[in-house]
């Protein structure tokens, strides 16, 4: 595991909602910690902090719920203007999650096909420990298919983008266990707004791209392509 997990932990605490936050129901469990939380990140520039008389200083964020899955919850980080993590996605899991490690290796194997891991550390709310990591922000593909989205979306191209992303991930040794559209996202960065990337590493982990799955194109077609087309049909694509 990446030794950076041993760095100073995040301090997490639930906050009251200042306005209604719509909970999503891909999974019925309640989101971790709350729908609106405070995040304190230990400043990594402590010598600079000591100039101002603080032995340890923290950077403060307000994180608002934006979705959750079977094992983790995602929040949008709101920080100071110019902060590198302002507007990024914080993911919180109650159990050890290999996603940061897997996606970090995938970024080296197949750049541009998975969401980037920007930071990872343990976190605590004073009652239990969490695995936390920060990624670039994306718009999940399933949200682009909603009828009320104020954008002119080419759904067919989105589906083809998902298939291409899944194929490139498989070539690099990553078999995605769930090809649901909410596990893929369009990069929200204005300079890269048309790239579809995998935003969930799934449960299979990384394999040797030379000897691992899939061994044949027929296997990939059966387990991925046909699955994606079924889900596309359910979305009337």
């Amino acid at each position: 595991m990446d030794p950076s997990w041993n760095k100073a932990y995040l301090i997490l605490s639930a906050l009251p909602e200042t306005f209604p936050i719509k909970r999503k129901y891909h999974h019925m469990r309640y989101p971790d910690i709350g729908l609106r939380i405070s995040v304190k990140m230990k400043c990594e520039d402590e010598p600079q902090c000591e100039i101002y008389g603080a032995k340890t200083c923290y950077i403060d964020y307000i994180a608002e719920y934006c979705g959750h899955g079977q094992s983790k919850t995602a929040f949008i980080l709101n920080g100071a203007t110019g902060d590198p993590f302002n507007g990024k996605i914080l993911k919180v899991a109650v159990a050890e999650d290999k996603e940061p490690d897997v996606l970090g290796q995938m970024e080296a194997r197949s750049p541009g096909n998975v969401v980037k891991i920007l930071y990872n550390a343990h976190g605590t709310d004073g009652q239990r420990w969490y695995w936390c990591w920060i990624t670039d922000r994306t718009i999940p593909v399933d949200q682009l298919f909603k009828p009320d989205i104020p954008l002119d979306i080419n759904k067919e191209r989105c589906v083809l983008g998902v298939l291409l992303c899944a194929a490139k991930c498989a070539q690099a040794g990553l078999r995605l266990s769930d090809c649901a559209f909410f596990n893929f996202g369009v990069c929200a960065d204005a300079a890269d707004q048309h790239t579809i990337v995998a935003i969930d590493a799934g449960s299979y982990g990384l394999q040797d791209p030379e000897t691992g799955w899939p061994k044949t194109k027929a296997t990939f077609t059966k387990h991925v392509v046909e699955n994606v087309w079924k889900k596309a049909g359910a979305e009337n694509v």
Side-chain angles (χ1 to χ4, degrees), residues 31 35 90 108 116 149 152 188 212 225-226 230:
L35 299 182
L90 169 69
K116 290 182 180 180
I149 189 168
D152 183 16
V225 177
E226 292 180 4
K230 287 180 182 178

Side-chain angles (χ1 to χ4, degrees), residues 2 9 11 14 38 46 80 112 121 129 135 165 172 178 183 186 192 201 204 218-219 227 229:
D2 186 338
Y9 55 82
I11 299 175
S38 165
E46 287 200 38
W129 288 92
T135 74
C165 177
D178 186 352
N183 287 327
V186 178
D192 191 20
Y204 288 118
T219 300
N227 189 14
W229 281 126

Side-chain angles (χ1 to χ4, degrees), residues 196-237:
I196 290 180
V197 296
I199 60 178
D200 190 296
S203 58
Y204 288 118
L206 280 177
Q207 302 179 39
D208 186 329
E210 298 298 327
T211 60
W213 185 93
K215 290 184 170 32
T216 66
K217 291 181 180 179
T219 300
F220 180 80
T221 298
K222 179 179 179 180
H223 291 278
V224 177
V225 177
E226 292 180 4
N227 189 14
V228 170
W229 281 126
K230 287 180 182 178
K231 295 181 184 298
E235 296 285 353
N236 296 317
V237 179

Side-chain angles (χ1 to χ4, degrees), residues 75-210:
F75 301 87
I76 298 176
L77 284 172
N78 296 293
T81 301
D83 185 287
F85 299 138
N86 181 38
K88 304 299 185 182
I89 298 297
L90 169 69
K91 290 189 176 182
V92 176
V94 295
E96 179 179 358
D97 198 301
K98 295 182 179 180
E99 181 170 294
D101 186 39
V102 170
L103 295 186
Q105 292 186 58
M106 273 297 294
E107 178 60 24
R109 290 188 183 188
S110 185
N113 290 304
V114 297
V115 69
K116 290 182 180 180
I117 304 296
L118 307 175
Y119 177 93
N120 60 284
H122 286 112
T124 182
D125 60 0
Q127 297 181 325
R128 68 188 309 170
W129 288 92
Y130 299 90
W131 297 73
C132 308
W133 60 99
I134 297 173
T135 74
D136 275 333
R137 186 171 178 179
T138 63
I139 303 171
V141 171
D142 69 308
Q143 293 185 17
L144 298 177
F145 293 165
K146 296 185 181 300
D148 57 346
I149 189 168
L151 296 171
D152 183 16
I153 302 297
N154 187 320
K155 295 182 179 181
E156 290 83 1
R157 292 192 66 179
C158 287
V159 172
L160 290 174
V162 166
L163 286 169
L164 181 60
C165 177
K168 289 183 176 179
C169 286
Q171 283 183 326
L174 177 61
R175 177 184 177 183
L176 299 171
S177 54
D178 186 352
C179 289
F181 292 126
F182 53 74
N183 287 327
F184 296 85
V186 178
C187 295
D189 189 322
D192 191 20
Q193 58 184 327
H194 300 298
T195 299
I196 290 180
V197 296
I199 60 178
D200 190 296
S203 58
Y204 288 118
L206 280 177
Q207 302 179 39
D208 186 329
E210 298 298 327

